[in-house]
Amino acid sequence: MRPALLALFVLAAPAPRETVVQPKETLSDVALRTLGSAVAASELKAINHLDSDAVAPGAQLLLPGPERELALSAIASAKSAVQQAKPGAARTEAAERTAEAERQLSAAKYAEAAAEADSAWKLLSQRVEDPSRFAIQVAPDGTTRVHVDSGIPVRVEAEGRTRAVSPGETVLVHKGEAPGIPTGQLATPTAGTLEAPVLLAPAAGQRLALDPKGKGVGPLRLSWRAVAGARGYLVELHGPTGQTLRTTRAEANFPSVLTGSYRWSVRALGVEGALGPAAERPLELTSGNIKLEVQPPDWK
Amino acid sequence: MALCLTLLAAGDACRKSPPSGVFDAAATPTARAILLQLKGTVSLKRAAADDWAPASEGMALLENDTVQTGARAQALVRFPNGSTVLVGEEALIGIAETGGAPGRDRTDLTVKRGTVDATLQTPATQDLSVGTPAATVRGGREIVFQ
């Protein structure tokens, strides 16, 4: 079997949901073997309701489902957005939400982790050019309620603490106290109402010749028709270069990828990490030009 | 100085341009905002006044002025940078001082009670800071002090 086809077969095969503890294995060893990280032992502990890290050889352990991959992807996107964001209250808030997402992940609360990470990512990906609209309500006792309708996040400060409040969120501040956690997302499309994106370019099965770039070729540009109600898109590239990225636009750009056979898929993102159905296409990438590398002569 | 003495009878031109670094208490106060789209009973109390007076369309709002709306009343406050605040019924708001107290962050407006709706059409270039008894709310352009 050709390596590319083997890779596709491996990607398509469902991951096992159980594993058996091998002789002399610790819980960290099992986590490393099955989930690729010894740190994930805490997740196995939570899923299997274990009181300690001790596991007997031959014991059967449950493994996380595909929701773990979604949570990991959301956390990776949030971390990337935090790293690229300019210093400020929104970045601080996003970093805190990302840290909370990692705590939820280690407790195997994958849906909560994905939602928290998604809210962090969303905080930093709002379009600056949208008008900013927010309402402030002050009760007779001074209690302040701030609701953000649209635009970039609003910063609410009290008692030395700042909260970034995103569109659709409300925060309550009692006199003499720090702002509470923003709550109350407005009803927006969920996974059930999101449609699969209509892929535009490259065409299905197209053999694309790109310029040499780094160790591969590039740039690879993918585009699709925007989905109504989508807050962003999850783009996955399966093949010699496996990449996943999130974008708020109906296009994605991969600066450099290895040549070979690929499948690329796009899914619309709803609120709290909800994903719509995927649209997928095959793609063949080749090098369009011969790369000339002229080395200086080693003689004088 | 001699020029000022000469012009004293003609008006307060000299007072409008005090020497740099000299505080001039009698300087003409600068308008911080404009009051528009009045509906129902809207009252204004100037910083230096003791009594409330009916507000009128297009009135300039100065530092420490206070605006009050009655039942089913509303008013729009427009700031020089274009940001607007729609003051709802039975609200009490104040126009903040330009400088503010030392060590405290600048605010444009204080809301003592009621509801206000703020709009920044171009938040990349506008900012608005609203103080309440419990919090400070900042919208629009974020200024980061390194």
Side-chain angles (χ1 to χ4, degrees), chain A residues 143-236:
Chain A
T143 299
T144 300
R145 177 183 172 275
V146 180
H147 176 78
V148 179
D149 288 319
S150 65
I152 57 176
V154 165
R155 287 93 66 202
V156 178
E157 302 169 16
E159 301 297 315
R161 178 79 194 264
T162 301
R163 286 274 187 199
V165 186
S166 298
E169 290 184 334
T170 301
V171 74
L172 200 64
V173 191
H174 295 285
K175 210 170 170 183
E177 295 180 14
I181 297 169
T183 56
Q185 280 284 347
L186 290 175
T188 45
T190 56
T193 59
L194 290 170
E195 292 181 356
V198 175
L199 304 181
L200 297 177
Q206 187 176 344
R207 189 180 173 90
L208 207 60
L210 301 176
D211 293 333
K213 193 160 187 189
K215 292 179 179 177
V217 294
L220 170 63
R221 291 193 180 88
L222 309 174
S223 66
W224 55 93
R225 199 166 291 153
V227 174
R231 293 195 157 203
Y233 301 92
L234 186 69
V235 187
E236 288 177 290

Side-chain angles (χ1 to χ4, degrees), chain A residues 86-90 127-144 146 149 151-159 173-177 179, chain B residues 85 90 92 105 109 111-144 146:
Chain A
K86 290 178 182 173
R127 293 173 60 193
V128 174
E129 61 265 36
D130 286 346
S132 175
R133 292 192 176 90
F134 55 96
I136 302 167
Q137 190 176 42
V138 179
D141 66 351
T143 299
T144 300
V146 180
D149 288 319
I152 57 176
V154 165
R155 287 93 66 202
V156 178
E157 302 169 16
E159 301 297 315
V173 191
H174 295 285
K175 210 170 170 183
E177 295 180 14
Chain B
V85 172
E90 296 183 337
L92 182 64
D105 291 331
L109 185 79
V111 181
K112 292 160 189 174
R113 68 159 190 266
T115 303
V116 299
D117 292 290
T119 302
L120 284 72
Q121 285 297 336
T122 53
T125 57
Q126 295 173 328
D127 64 283
L128 181 73
S129 181
V130 181
T132 77
T136 302
V137 182
R138 299 182 194 285
R141 184 179 54 150
E142 190 167 4
I143 301 168
V144 179
Q146 300 290 338

Side-chain angles (χ1 to χ4, degrees), chain B:
Chain B
M1 187 64 181
L3 180 63
C4 284
L5 287 170
T6 310
L7 295 174
L8 194 59
D12 59 356
C14 291
R15 280 186 288 162
K16 285 182 178 173
S17 303
S20 176
V22 176
F23 175 70
D24 184 8
T28 304
T30 311
R32 295 289 320 281
I34 297 173
L35 205 53
L36 299 163
Q37 298 176 19
L38 306 185
K39 276 186 193 170
T41 306
V42 181
S43 310
L44 171 72
K45 189 158 84 71
R46 293 292 186 195
D50 293 326
D51 300 319
W52 290 92
S56 59
E57 189 79 14
M59 215 171 212
L61 296 175
L62 314 176
E63 286 180 8
N64 294 318
D65 282 354
T66 313
V67 175
Q68 185 173 237
T69 54
R72 293 185 295 281
Q74 71 171 43
L76 186 82
V77 177
R78 183 185 295 279
F79 289 90
N81 67 6
S83 57
T84 58
V85 172
L86 183 67
V87 184
E89 65 172 348
E90 296 183 337
L92 182 64
I93 65 155
I95 302 299
E97 289 182 53
T98 310
R104 297 191 66 176
D105 291 331
R106 179 188 70 86
T107 53
D108 299 303
L109 185 79
T110 55
V111 181
K112 292 160 189 174
R113 68 159 190 266
T115 303
V116 299
D117 292 290
T119 302
L120 284 72
Q121 285 297 336
T122 53
T125 57
Q126 295 173 328
D127 64 283
L128 181 73
S129 181
V130 181
T132 77
T136 302
V137 182
R138 299 182 194 285
R141 184 179 54 150
E142 190 167 4
I143 301 168
V144 179
F145 297 96
Q146 300 290 338

Side-chain angles (χ1 to χ4, degrees), chain A:
Chain A
M1 190 178 287
R2 289 168 58 190
L5 290 176
L6 180 64
L8 282 174
F9 175 77
V10 170
L11 281 165
R17 299 294 302 271
E18 288 181 348
T19 190
V20 176
V21 179
Q22 302 299 309
K24 295 181 182 176
E25 262 193 333
T26 63
L27 198 58
S28 297
D29 294 333
V30 177
L32 184 63
R33 172 167 58 82
T34 57
L35 302 176
S37 168
V39 180
S42 63
E43 297 173 45
L44 293 179
K45 201 172 164 183
I47 292 169
N48 292 281
H49 307 289
L50 301 174
D51 294 328
S52 71
D53 289 345
V55 281
Q60 205 161 30
L61 295 180
L62 286 173
L63 296 175
E67 65 275 13
R68 181 177 189 265
E69 290 304 313
L70 180 62
L72 286 172
S73 167
I75 290 171
S77 298
K79 278 183 166 179
S80 170
V82 168
Q83 281 172 356
Q84 291 170 25
K86 290 178 182 173
R91 183 186 174 183
T92 305
E93 176 71 15
E96 284 179 14
R97 291 189 188 188
T98 307
E100 177 58 27
E102 290 186 299
R103 281 191 286 274
Q104 300 279 16
L105 180 83
S106 65
K109 294 178 178 174
Y110 300 118
E112 291 89 340
E116 196 71 36
D118 199 52
S119 73
W121 174 76
K122 194 179 59 175
L123 258 182
L124 301 171
S125 62
Q126 299 292 335
R127 293 173 60 193
V128 174
E129 61 265 36
D130 286 346
S132 175
R133 292 192 176 90
F134 55 96
I136 302 167
Q137 190 176 42
V138 179
D141 66 351
T143 299
T144 300
R145 177 183 172 275
V146 180
H147 176 78
V148 179
D149 288 319
S150 65
I152 57 176
V154 165
R155 287 93 66 202
V156 178
E157 302 169 16
E159 301 297 315
R161 178 79 194 264
T162 301
R163 286 274 187 199
V165 186
S166 298
E169 290 184 334
T170 301
V171 74
L172 200 64
V173 191
H174 295 285
K175 210 170 170 183
E177 295 180 14
I181 297 169
T183 56
Q185 280 284 347
L186 290 175
T188 45
T190 56
T193 59
L194 290 170
E195 292 181 356
V198 175
L199 304 181
L200 297 177
Q206 187 176 344
R207 189 180 173 90
L208 207 60
L210 301 176
D211 293 333
K213 193 160 187 189
K215 292 179 179 177
V217 294
L220 170 63
R221 291 193 180 88
L222 309 174
S223 66
W224 55 93
R225 199 166 291 153
V227 174
R231 293 195 157 203
Y233 301 92
L234 186 69
V235 187
E236 288 177 290
L237 195 60
H238 300 301
T241 305
Q243 289 189 37
T244 301
L245 65 78
R246 283 175 173 224
T247 175
T248 53
R249 303 167 63 188
E251 61 180 31
N253 195 355
F254 295 88
S256 176
V257 289
L258 298 174
T259 56
S261 299
Y262 286 87
R263 293 192 75 79
W264 61 285
S265 69
V266 184
R267 303 174 78 178
L269 279 164
V271 291
E272 296 183 351
L275 281 168
E280 195 174 273
R281 259 185 196 176
L283 172 68
E284 186 81 21
L285 290 181
T286 61
S287 180
N289 295 318
I290 298 168
K291 191 177 178 184
L292 292 176
E293 288 187 0
V294 180
Q295 301 289 338
D298 55 357
W299 49 268
K300 293 182 181 177

